[in-house]
Amino acid sequence: GALGGLGLGLWRRQQAAMAASEEKDEDEKEEEELRQRFMAPPVSGLRELRRQRRELRSRMELLIMETQGEVCRALAALDPGASFAVDTWERKEGGGGISCVLQDGEVFEKAGVNVSVVSGLLSEEAARQMRSRGKSLKAKDGKLPFCAMGVSSVIHPKNPHVPTMHFNYRYFEIEEADGTKQWWFGGGTDLTPTYLNEEDAVHFHKTLKEACDKHDLKLYPKYKKWCDDYFYIKHRGERRGIGGIFFDDVDSPSKEEVFQFVKSCAKAVVPCYIPIVKRHCHDSFTPEEKLWQQLRRGRYVEFNLVYDRGTKFGLLTPGSRIESILMSLPLTARWEYMHTPPESSKEAEILEVLRNPKDWVH
């Protein structure tokens, strides 16, 4: 009986060892698969993310890493002569990021896709900005620990018939004096064409609407209007582009539901934009059309430096990486004194839509 017991014990140990070995093989296989989907190792480390895989912070970091990889691969496939410079950076106050930038390609003048995962103490200026949006933040000894992560991208093509595209999806968490955590998601995807192409506008908006509709039919109209209102250059009386969706401070109905919505939006980035690039990247264009693109780029710069919330937050956060924050700016832009396009021109047509936003999908 004792020998039988020993044999059984040995058999169980062998089974346990085999199971552990299989699990290790599975772990290594999964890690390798994840590495192939990412542009660089994640800021929090792959092991840590997998260990905390049920935590929303880990799932969000995996999502932004995957989104970065998907978008970079899709863009690189359209511009085979160019490649992304992959730059990982650390922030001494906590966290870091991965910047992927392609410059001077055949198709893209500048395309950047950034991931950042940062933590530390919120600066007074950043806290003031948040309170001005209605956040009641109770600091402990003047300190507010925070964690912020997101993926953001701006793509400036060479051809004036290919629109500029921007997207950003982010998650924010703040710990208040009593230990309670405030959290919210924000983000959006929007299109800035130099010339209006109705077919492109409809495709772009329709793809985003489908992503929203999976969750709630009220979301697209609400976030489309928010986008038109947010990307407004007040001193020019015009929008930055033809919109898309935009939302911020979203913390209901539940963390899981908002995360799933954000995931659907992130997955819509490639299908809403890449077909438009493919359709127009070989279109012919004139020097006058290139000049108009440069003037529109000037407007893009004005919005980003004067109004954009993300740019402002980045510039106000101690230890933030200025190169990554200003990656959204084009390589080239132009400001001409008193430039007004002729009436009934293609240039005047896009201005009309920028001044009076259209409903593209109804």
Side-chain angles (χ1 to χ4, degrees):
L3 284 174
L6 278 173
L8 186 62
L10 182 62
W11 180 80
R12 280 189 180 138
R13 283 199 298 278
Q14 284 172 337
Q15 290 300 305
M18 277 166 66
S21 170
E22 279 170 21
E23 196 178 324
K24 190 170 174 239
D25 289 348
E26 280 298 308
D27 284 357
E28 283 170 5
K29 201 168 122 189
E30 191 186 343
E31 277 189 25
E32 187 48 44
E33 278 173 14
L34 285 174
R35 271 197 201 96
Q36 285 172 3
R37 299 212 303 263
F38 298 162
M39 298 299 285
V43 175
S44 302
L46 211 42
R47 291 265 156 84
E48 182 61 19
L49 286 180
R50 293 187 65 254
R51 202 171 62 77
Q52 306 266 2
R53 68 173 75 188
R54 287 188 179 81
E55 294 290 320
L56 189 120
R57 270 163 67 160
S58 297
R59 291 161 69 206
M60 184 65 182
E61 188 170 345
L62 285 168
L63 174 64
I64 61 179
M65 291 295 301
E66 281 179 21
T67 304
Q68 182 184 49
E70 276 168 22
V71 174
C72 287
R73 283 193 298 276
L75 297 174
L78 295 178
D79 207 340
S83 60
F84 277 93
V86 180
D87 207 2
T88 57
W89 51 273
E90 280 182 23
R91 179 175 171 270
K92 69 176 193 296
E93 292 82 356
I98 302 146
S99 298
C100 298
V101 182
L102 179 157
Q103 285 186 157
D104 269 331
E106 287 294 310
V107 175
F108 301 109
E109 185 180 283
K110 188 178 180 191
V113 192
N114 283 354
V115 154
S116 65
V117 180
V118 298
S119 55
L121 297 172
L122 209 57
S123 71
E124 260 309 304
E125 194 58 44
R128 199 173 304 129
Q129 198 186 323
M130 287 175 185
R131 286 191 180 107
S132 73
R133 306 203 314 261
K135 297 258 171 232
S136 62
L137 304 172
K138 297 183 280 294
K140 186 179 186 179
D141 307 324
K143 294 188 172 75
L144 279 165
F146 81 97
C147 156
M149 62 180 72
V151 56
S152 65
S153 170
V154 177
I155 299 151
H156 293 292
K158 280 198 163 163
N159 193 312
H161 298 294
V162 183
T164 284
M165 195 266 283
H166 156 260
F167 76 88
N168 170 296
Y169 290 100
R170 57 194 179 275
Y171 173 70
F172 220 97
E173 208 173 80
I174 288 181
E175 193 174 323
E176 295 190 89
D178 60 0
T180 57
K181 284 184 180 169
Q182 275 204 51
W183 59 268
W184 63 89
F185 288 88
T189 305
D190 62 279
L191 199 68
T192 306
T194 301
Y195 288 96
L196 184 63
N197 179 302
E198 297 230 356
E199 197 184 330
D200 295 343
V202 170
H203 166 80
F204 185 79
H205 277 268
K206 202 172 164 199
T207 311
L208 294 177
K209 182 179 184 297
E210 282 164 9
C212 293
D213 285 356
K214 282 181 203 164
H215 300 271
D216 186 336
L217 297 178
K218 294 192 201 82
L219 296 179
Y220 171 76
K222 181 181 174 184
Y223 294 158
K224 190 258 183 209
K225 183 183 184 312
W226 199 339
C227 189
D228 289 334
D229 293 344
Y230 177 74
F231 290 105
Y232 182 58
I233 309 169
K234 292 188 191 74
H235 60 270
R236 297 284 189 184
E238 62 193 46
R239 274 86 197 150
R240 188 177 76 176
I242 60 160
I245 56 170
F246 177 85
F247 55 91
D248 207 354
D249 302 326
V250 177
D251 56 6
S252 66
S254 72
K255 209 183 248 191
E256 184 59 32
E257 283 169 284
V258 187
F259 173 71
Q260 291 301 336
F261 164 67
V262 166
K263 191 174 179 177
S264 294
C265 294
K267 295 290 176 201
V269 168
V270 168
C272 78
Y273 182 60
I274 295 299
I276 297 173
V277 182
K278 283 182 176 167
R279 202 178 297 149
H280 300 292
C281 62
H282 300 300
D283 288 3
S284 59
F285 58 89
T286 65
E288 291 74 25
E289 287 170 334
K290 189 67 185 170
L291 169 69
W292 178 242
Q293 182 194 45
Q294 297 295 290
L295 292 167
R296 297 313 308 163
R297 293 256 182 87
R299 298 285 207 269
Y300 206 93
V301 172
E302 287 176 31
F303 178 85
N304 281 30
L305 293 183
V306 178
Y307 301 111
D308 187 71
R309 200 180 284 169
T311 304
K312 280 181 174 176
F313 176 77
L315 295 173
L316 296 172
T317 301
S320 57
R321 190 168 186 265
I322 301 303
E323 283 299 316
S324 299
I325 296 162
L326 299 182
M327 173 211 78
S328 63
L329 302 182
L331 276 189
T332 58
R334 187 177 173 103
W335 287 265
E336 273 192 23
Y337 183 67
M338 300 294 283
H339 183 280
T340 309
E343 276 184 48
S344 307
S345 63
K346 293 291 257 177
E347 291 78 13
E349 180 188 34
I350 185 79
L351 279 181
E352 172 57 29
V353 171
L354 300 177
R355 287 169 185 154
N356 303 292
K358 274 181 75 167
D359 187 351
W360 298 102
V361 291
H362 291 109

